[in-house]
Amino acid sequence: MLSVRSLAGEVFLLQLVIVVLLVAAALAALVVRARDDSMAAARSKTLAAAQGFANSPGIVAALRGPDPTAVLQPRAEAARKGAHVDAVIVYGLDGVTLTHSDPRQIGKLVIGPYAQAAQGRAFTRTFHGSLGLSVVSAVPVRDTNGSVAAVVAVPVRVETVRHSVNRQLPALLVGAGVALVVAAGGSGLVSRLLRRQTHGLGPAEMTRMYEHHDAVLHTVREGVLIIGGDGRLLLANDEARRLLDLPADAERRHVTELGLAEDLAGLLASERPATDEVHRASDRLLAVNKRLTTPRGPPGSVVTLRDTTELRALSGRAEGARQRLNLLYDAGLRIGTTLDVKRTAEELAEVAVPQFADVVTIDLLEEVLRGNEPSPRKAGMRRAAFAGPAADRLTFPVRAGTGDDRSVLVKDLAACADWRETDPEQARRILDHGIHSLLAVPLRFRGATLGRADFWRAKDSPPFDDEDVAFAEEVAARAALCIDNARRYTREHTMAVTLQHSLLPRGLPEQAALDVAFRYLPAELGVGGDWFDVIPLSGARVALVVGDVVGHGMHAAATMGRLRTAVLNFSGLDMSAEEILDRLDELVAQLDAEGTAGQEGPGLTGATCQYAVYDPATGRLDIATAGHPGPALVHPDGTVDFPPVPVSPLLGLNTGLPFESAELTVPEGSRLVLYTDGLIEDRYRDLDAGLQALREALAGPDRSPEGTCTAVMKAMLSDRPRDDIALLVARTRRLDATQIAEWHVSPDPAEVGRVRAACGRRLAQWGLERISFTAELVLSELITNAIRYGGEPITVRLLRTVSRGGFAADTLICEVSDGSSTSPRLRRAKATDESGRGLFLVAQYAERWGTRYTRDGKVIWTELSLSHGTAGPEELGEILLGSWDEQAL
């Protein structure tokens, strides 16, 4: 295809337009000529037909007869058909039509241009008659005496003439089309040949190429020679003439006749290509490059000449600049790969040795190393990094009187008296090591000095110069930026870790249901929002909590603390696992909305939590999960399972879906493992691989929870964890049947005494006679309240927990359950009240008491300590009297 932007394309379009115009003009001329010829033929035809009929024998006799129409009408029709005209009309001198092709017109008076014919002169003209626009020829009919007897008119309609022309039009169009195709094909061939010659260039490009040809060729700083296939010089620019001292008539002469050196002339005349070959031309050393023009062009070669005499003087400096640029690029890649201040300083020293200096020491302010803001006043520096031989045993004092705000260049240390006088002994040791040049550059960022980098050269290395100062300051500026970023991160990380540790549990609470061990490891690159908790509940039950706030940093750690506090508060209300997650979901959504509305920090974007409650009396585990990995269960025989747990969406998403929980029966001695996703997810493994690795770490012989934590962390921990890791391992215990006593109570006040007596007997069996009075009093009050205000079924249960290894104190738990959901309320009875003091007494005697709701009602529970003294009958009076106001009495 020919591009319209190329010269060939534009020539083709111009030729095509000219051909189209010529063909169109010729076609129009032929059509007009055909119409003119047809009209002339129609005039001749009608005139001949009219004259022939007017001079036909018998026409005068017919006109004299009684009925001229009857005689002439058939003859006129026959003549019309024979002459192929539209009508043969005979008019009388009075204008009445005697014959007509349309019989309806016979006998009518016609007004027309026939006066000339009536006067004896024939004529032909175009006239609009009864047949329409027609070519009409009128001829007079002469009597024997020469007078005009009638007029014969023969018309041919113009439409008939045009129809005849239109029949010729297709042939004309076909001929025009053939001519157009032939002409276009010829133009295309000519344009293709032109495109090959012009290489598809446009007029503007060819003009620009021609205009700039001499300017580019003769102003370039390299010599250019174009040599033909026969070895003759075709073109030489000004630089080539200057470098080779070519004569004015050098072009069109053979290269061996130009007076060049033999080796250079041989190279130019040969067909051998060359790349940066050095040849002598007079007093110059030329770098010669030669490339053959075939197969892209005609036989020949293109030669470029470059004067390397001046370049060799600059090559040393260019090589040094190139090395500095490479080193600067290397420094940008290698410095600042971590957010550790000391490691960043070490990277600066490693980059500079040995490419830039033989020995490098980096000294930083102590505040910077601790992550604090650099103090504007003078502060002590400490060695942060060094590189080079014996750098760890040498200290390098800067000249007296120099500060840390500007660079110091000492090209020759041996000649610097001020530097030697600062510390003569140390200066001598430095010179003994062959160190002879110093460049000290401050590490400054945002106007504050962070430290100093000292670069030293020894032995055969050249001394530092002014260009080295600019390079060292550039590297130091980049390093200072990275050191300041690491310092800020160190400060933020320290604050976040401190905040996180202050919000996490510092120890495990006392409880008798589980043996628990934990591990917590913050992420190396940023503190996250992982947390865990062990919460003792009523009825010797224990709640295990593991959660994770999405994100890292101070915001995640602070939010983690708020969520942990909320879980502790919700757990104190003895809610079910799914209800606690529901309340926590509302809290997270509220915190997220507050953070978004205040525009003071990023939104939470969600959190995960897993809440499990273990009951040692039944061995049942109630567990609910919100977007958190499920637990692992290690059976007493060492097998590992991941029990299916309904997984609900992340907290704070406001999906409106209810949270679900699962109930599991856990054998005694099993290990329940709760963890955050940082333990199983890593950049080098997916979730399935992480779960398989955890299964392998947990499987095997029975281990203590502490040993399990150690084994899991050793097997799962990566070198640099990206996320926090929280691990909680709990080995289950079960209360023995001898530690549980249970009675069903009918709603009869007389049942109080029976149950109280049975309780006394069981306490005697347990050897707890010393708290029998207190326990019976508490149970009496709780059973009475259940009978009076509660509903069936009413159940009484005693649980005795025994300390194992100092995990929890011995306690007696008294529980009274009924079918009512009405909760009792503690109040101070008035002086005139006869009731309302039962719960007051229960609260005074019990260590703790409370209410927990179940699916069938509620449970009122109390805990009595077996390791502390309890109130006896003598103290009861004082407690009761203390509940009244003495002034009221």
Side-chain angles (χ1 to χ4, degrees), residues 109-129:
L109 182 64
V110 177
I111 299 176
Y114 302 112
Q116 184 178 356
Q119 295 175 3
R121 295 190 299 271
F123 68 89
T124 300
R125 68 179 58 178
T126 302
F127 173 70
H128 198 286

Side-chain angles (χ1 to χ4, degrees), residues 19-39:
V19 168
V20 169
L21 292 177
L22 291 177
V23 170
L27 180 62
L30 290 175
V31 171
V32 172
R33 180 62 180 273
R35 288 184 178 179
D36 293 342
D37 292 344
S38 298
M39 292 295 292

Side-chain angles (χ1 to χ4, degrees), residues 638-658:
T639 59
V640 181
D641 286 336
F642 293 96
V645 178
V647 179
S648 301
L650 284 137
L651 300 174
L653 297 184
N654 285 328
T655 59
L657 300 176

Side-chain angles (χ1 to χ4, degrees), residues 340-377:
D340 182 79
V341 175
K342 293 192 65 177
R343 179 55 191 158
T344 304
E346 292 172 357
E347 290 171 345
L348 171 59
E350 293 171 358
V351 165
V353 175
Q355 291 88 346
F356 180 69
D358 297 309
V359 179
V360 175
T361 59
I362 311 297
D363 298 328
L364 298 178
L365 297 177
E366 294 184 357
E367 289 87 347
V368 175
L369 290 172
R370 291 193 294 266
N372 300 328
E373 291 287 343
S375 175
R377 58 182 176 82

Side-chain angles (χ1 to χ4, degrees), residues 814-825:
C814 304
E815 296 181 345
V816 177
S817 62
D818 65 81
S820 173
S821 60
T822 303
S823 176
R825 182 171 58 89

